[in-house]
Amino acid sequence: MRLRLFVLLIAAIWAGAGPALAEKRVALVMGNSAYKNVARLANPANDATLVGGMFRKAGFDTVDIKLDLNGSEMRRALRDFGGKARDAGVAVVYYAGHGIELDGVNYLIPTDATLETDSDVLDETIALDRALFAVEPAKQLRLIILDACRDNPFAKTMKRTIASRAIGRGLAKVEPTSPNTMIAFAAKAGSTASDGDSKNSPFAAALVERLPTPGLDLRKAFGFVRDDVLKNTGYKQEPFVYGSLGGDDVALVPAKPVATGPQANPDSDIRRDYELALQLGTRDVWTAFLNRYPSGFYTDLAKAQLNRISAEDARAAAAEKARAAEEEKAKLAAERAKKAEQEKAAAAAAKAAEDARIAAEKAKQIEEAKAAAAEQRRKDAEAAAKALADKQAAEKALAERIASEQAAAELAAKEKAQRDAEQKVAALVPAQSAPSLSPQETAKLVQSELRRVGCLASNADGDWNATSQRSLSLFNKYAGTKFDAKFASFEALDAIKAKPGRVCPLVCNHGFKADGDTCVKITCRAGYRINDDNECEKAQDKKPVATREDANKQDNERKKVETTPAKPQATGQIYCNSVGCRPVRSGCRLEDTGRRGGITGTSLVEVCN
C-alpha cells in the first residue's frame, strides 16, 4: 500500500509539472459513518478521506471533503458545490454511506435520518437527482461516484404506508439524460456492496489505484476498477457504470507531456521504486512491486528478494518447530518423572476419599433417621391441629349457613317487593325500542360473538345460514339457554357477550388432540398407530393370507356342512303325558295352566307358536 501511494504521488507530481489545464476541475467528497439511529459504518469516513486525498494529488483545483453530514448540511454542501461547478470543465461528486431505492428512485441518507415509514424518505433523505443537478453546469465531464449500495438497515424496520410500494435491495438502475455524464455504482443495480475487512472498502481502494493513472480514459479506468473489485471480493461484488461519453478519451488526470529533448532512462522510474521497496523490505511491498512491474531486470531482483524473505520465513519456522519439539521432549520427561509420585498420591487420596465417603454415608443415615422421626411428629401434630380446625370450621359453617339462610329470606322478600314496584313502573313507561340495525348486521354481530366463544368456525359474513344456526344451537346446549336458532336476535347477542371465554368445546378431527384453543397432531412412536379412540396402540402383525389351495379346501368343507340334513334341536325341557315322556319340540315351550288333572296329574302343557 505504501508503494502504491508513492506511485500515485509521483503521478500527481508529473501531472502538476505539465501544462496548465484548459478547464478547471472541482470535486465534492462526502462520507457518512456516524449514523444516529442505526449502527455506525466502519469505512465511509475513511473512504472519503482516501478518495479526497487522491483528487488533491491528481491536481484538482478545488476538493471539498465533508464527513458525517446531516440533512441540512448535505443540502448546503451540494448547493455550494453547484456554484463552483459553473465555471469548471470537470465536476465530480463522491458519496460513501447508506443509500436507499424507493419506487425506482435512489436517495442518499444523511446521518440524522430516522425513516420510520416509507413516506419519511421524501422528507429526510437527498435524492440522487440533487447531486446530478449540482454537477450539471460542468462543461466537459460530469461524474457521480456512489459507494452507497451497502446493506441498508433502514429498509428492514421501515413501515410501509402502501403495501405495494417497492423498496429495493441496493440502488436502482439510472440513465443520465445530460450528455458527458457518468454515474458509477460500487455494485450494480439491485445488489449490495461490501465494506471490506480492512480500513477501506474494496471499491474505494480500486478507485484510488486506477483513476489517477495519467492519460487513462475513464471508461477503461472503471473497467479496471470492476476487475479489481470482482477479484478482491471473490466475484461477489461487481461495480457498474451508467451513462455515456463521446468518442474522445476523457482522463481524470491528463497524460504526461511528450519529452522533446534527450530521453531519460526508461528503467530509472522502476529503479527508484525498487530502491524504495528495498528500504521497506516486506513481503507486501515486493508483491505490490511485482504486480506493477511483471517483467524486467528489476522484476527478477524483486523476485529474488521475495524468495529470500520466503526462505528466511521457512528457516524461522523450522527453528521455531525444533524449539517447540525440544520443549515438548523436556516436558514429557518431567511428566514421566512425576508420574509415579502422582499415582502414589492419587491412591492415598482415593483411600482418604473412600473413608470420608463411608463416614459421610453413616452420618447421612443417622440424620435421615432423625429427620424421619421429626417429620412423623410434625405430621401427628398437624393431624391433631387439622382435626380441631375442621371441627371449629364445621361449627362456624353451620352458624354461617343459618345466618345466610335468614339473610337470603330477607333479601328475597326485599327483591320481590322491588320487582313488584318495577312492574308497576314498567306498566306506565313505554317499552324502549331495539337498536336500529338491519337483520344482516345483527347476524354478523352474533356470528362474531359465536366465533369468540368457540361455537362458530366460519367467518362472520352476516348470512344467517344453516352453519350459523347449528352454532347457536351448540351455544344453547353448552350455555343452558333456549334461543331460537332460526333467527339472530339481540337477546342472544347479549347472552353471548356475557360469556367471558370459550363456551363450546374444541372438537378436533381424528388424529388430532386439543391443546388449549388449537388442535395439534397426535404423534405415536415407532411400532404404534392411532386407533378409533384417538389413542396410540401397538400395531398388530398382519394375518397370514390364505392361499388358493386353502380357500378351495374351506369351500369344500362349507358345502359339505350345508348339504348335511339339520339335526333336531332340543330345548332341554321334557314333556310327559299318558303316552310317555319326550323332549319339547323345537319352537315350542311348556306353560303352567294352574289346573292339575288327567292321567299325569300335571298342570304343564306344550305350547307351540
Side-chain angles (χ1 to χ4, degrees):
M1 181 60 72
R2 295 179 181 177
L3 176 60
R4 185 179 299 170
L5 294 178
F6 175 80
V7 174
L8 294 178
L9 178 61
I10 295 298
I13 293 174
W14 284 340
L21 293 176
E23 297 291 349
K24 181 180 178 182
R25 296 179 297 167
V26 295
L28 171 62
V29 180
M30 297 180 289
N32 287 343
S33 286
Y35 283 91
K36 298 179 181 180
N37 299 303
V38 293
R40 177 186 178 90
L41 288 174
N43 288 340
N46 300 333
D47 296 340
T49 303
L50 179 65
V51 174
M54 180 266 292
F55 286 132
R56 287 174 176 170
K57 292 176 182 178
F60 271 60
D61 298 277
T62 302
V63 180
D64 297 328
I65 302 177
K66 307 287 185 179
L67 303 179
D68 296 329
L69 303 177
N70 58 30
S72 60
E73 291 170 344
M74 287 186 69
R75 293 183 179 90
R76 187 182 308 113
L78 290 170
R79 181 176 65 248
D80 296 343
F81 182 72
K84 296 177 182 179
R86 291 191 183 97
D87 58 348
V90 177
V92 183
V93 172
Y94 171 86
Y95 172 76
H98 277 309
I100 191 171
E101 177 262 318
L102 180 66
D103 287 340
V105 180
N106 298 320
Y107 299 88
L108 312 181
I109 303 179
T111 57
D112 60 345
T114 56
L115 303 186
E116 294 180 353
T117 64
D118 50 8
S119 62
D120 294 339
V121 174
L122 303 178
D123 301 325
E124 301 179 10
T125 63
I126 310 297
L128 178 58
D129 290 342
R130 183 65 184 85
L132 289 170
F133 185 81
V135 300
E136 181 71 22
K139 302 176 182 63
Q140 181 182 359
L141 173 66
R142 309 168 186 91
L143 177 60
I144 305 292
I145 304 175
L146 295 179
D147 195 356
C149 307
R150 294 168 172 85
D151 191 13
N152 185 6
F154 290 100
K156 299 176 182 178
T157 59
M158 185 186 302
K159 297 178 181 178
R160 272 63 163 179
T161 57
I162 299 178
S164 60
R165 178 162 290 159
I167 298 178
R169 183 173 182 265
L171 298 181
K173 178 181 177 181
V174 58
E175 292 294 344
T177 57
S178 301
N180 295 328
T181 303
M182 293 182 68
I183 302 176
F185 284 4
K188 66 180 180 180
S191 61
T192 59
S194 170
D195 242 357
D197 299 328
S198 61
K199 183 179 178 181
N200 297 107
S201 71
F203 183 62
L207 288 175
V208 300
E209 173 70 18
R210 299 296 184 177
L211 292 187
T213 303
L216 181 62
D217 182 63
L218 274 180
R219 288 161 288 200
K220 194 168 185 179
F222 277 112
F224 288 141
V225 169
R226 169 191 173 275
D227 295 342
D228 292 346
V229 173
L230 279 173
K231 180 179 178 181
N232 294 332
T233 60
Y235 294 89
K236 296 179 180 178
Q237 177 181 339
E238 179 183 5
F240 216 84
V241 178
Y242 301 93
S244 62
L245 300 178
D248 296 333
D249 287 349
V250 179
L252 200 64
V253 177
K256 295 185 297 184
V258 179
T260 58
Q263 298 296 319
N265 184 1
D267 290 340
S268 60
D269 294 338
I270 303 176
R271 179 178 58 79
R272 285 195 299 270
D273 291 346
Y274 176 83
E275 291 175 352
L276 177 60
L278 189 62
Q279 292 177 6
L280 299 176
T282 63
R283 181 186 296 273
D284 293 339
V285 170
W286 289 119
T287 303
F289 183 89
L290 291 174
N291 290 336
R292 188 167 184 82
Y293 304 109
S295 63
F297 172 72
Y298 288 101
T299 300
D300 296 336
L301 295 180
K303 291 179 179 179
Q305 293 291 341
L306 192 59
N307 292 335
R308 181 186 60 79
I309 293 175
S310 299
E312 182 65 23
D313 292 343
R315 185 197 63 77
E320 178 64 21
K321 187 175 181 181
R323 184 188 62 79
E326 289 295 330
E327 291 180 354
E328 184 66 19
K329 182 178 179 181
K331 180 181 177 182
L332 292 175
E335 290 177 352
R336 284 194 297 269
K338 294 180 179 179
K339 185 175 181 181
E341 183 179 352
Q342 291 175 351
E343 290 177 353
K344 182 178 179 181
K351 185 176 183 304
E354 181 64 18
D355 295 340
R357 186 190 65 78
I358 294 174
E361 187 67 25
K362 291 181 179 178
K364 179 182 177 182
Q365 293 175 357
I366 294 173
E367 292 300 327
E368 287 178 350
K370 291 181 179 179
E375 180 66 18
Q376 186 60 40
R377 290 194 298 271
R378 183 189 65 79
K379 289 181 178 179
D380 295 341
E382 287 182 353
K386 184 175 182 303
L388 180 60
D390 291 344
K391 181 179 178 181
Q392 293 175 351
E395 294 175 353
K396 182 179 179 182
L398 180 60
E400 290 177 351
R401 184 171 63 80
I402 295 173
S404 176
E405 291 176 352
Q406 294 176 353
E410 295 175 357
L411 180 61
K414 291 181 180 179
E415 289 178 350
K416 184 176 183 304
Q418 185 177 359
R419 285 196 301 270
D420 295 341
E422 290 175 352
Q423 290 176 357
K424 294 179 180 180
V425 173
L428 300 176
V429 178
Q432 185 177 1
S433 61
S436 58
L437 292 177
S438 66
Q440 185 176 8
E441 292 174 340
T442 305
K444 190 172 183 179
L445 292 175
V446 175
Q447 288 172 338
S448 299
E449 291 300 318
L450 287 173
R451 281 177 55 84
R452 182 182 63 81
V453 298
C455 296
L456 178 62
S458 60
N459 294 328
D461 53 4
D463 182 12
W464 193 254
N465 50 26
T467 302
S468 302
Q469 295 175 15
R470 285 195 299 271
S471 300
L472 183 55
S473 299
L474 283 174
F475 178 82
N476 287 335
K477 176 181 178 181
Y478 292 103
T481 56
K482 296 182 179 179
F483 298 111
D484 189 352
K486 296 180 180 179
F487 308 99
S489 61
F490 286 103
E491 291 79 4
L493 178 63
D494 294 338
I496 301 171
K497 283 185 176 180
K499 301 298 181 181
R502 174 180 285 277
V503 174
C504 297
L506 180 63
V507 179
C508 298
N509 294 330
H510 182 263
F512 291 81
K513 65 180 180 180
D515 185 4
D517 288 341
T518 59
C519 293
V520 297
K521 187 174 181 180
I522 301 173
T523 303
C524 297
R525 63 178 186 269
Y528 284 76
R529 63 178 181 82
I530 301 175
N531 60 15
D532 295 338
D533 295 331
N534 240 22
E535 296 177 350
C536 292
E537 69 175 9
K538 189 172 183 180
Q540 300 294 331
D541 295 335
K542 294 184 178 180
K543 296 181 179 179
V545 179
T547 62
R548 179 175 295 275
E549 295 179 357
D550 295 337
N552 293 336
K553 183 178 180 181
Q554 293 175 359
D555 290 342
N556 294 333
E557 293 178 354
R558 178 178 57 80
K559 292 178 180 179
K560 182 177 179 181
V561 172
E562 290 176 352
T563 55
T564 302
K567 297 179 181 180
Q569 301 293 326
T571 62
Q573 294 179 320
I574 301 299
Y575 173 68
C576 297
N577 55 18
S578 59
V579 178
C581 294
R582 61 174 174 80
V584 176
R585 288 173 294 179
S586 176
C588 301
R589 65 183 183 278
L590 296 179
E591 288 188 359
D592 191 352
T593 60
R595 299 190 300 275
R596 293 182 178 273
I599 300 172
T600 59
T602 178
S603 61
L604 297 176
V605 296
E606 184 179 26
V607 178
C608 297
N609 294 331

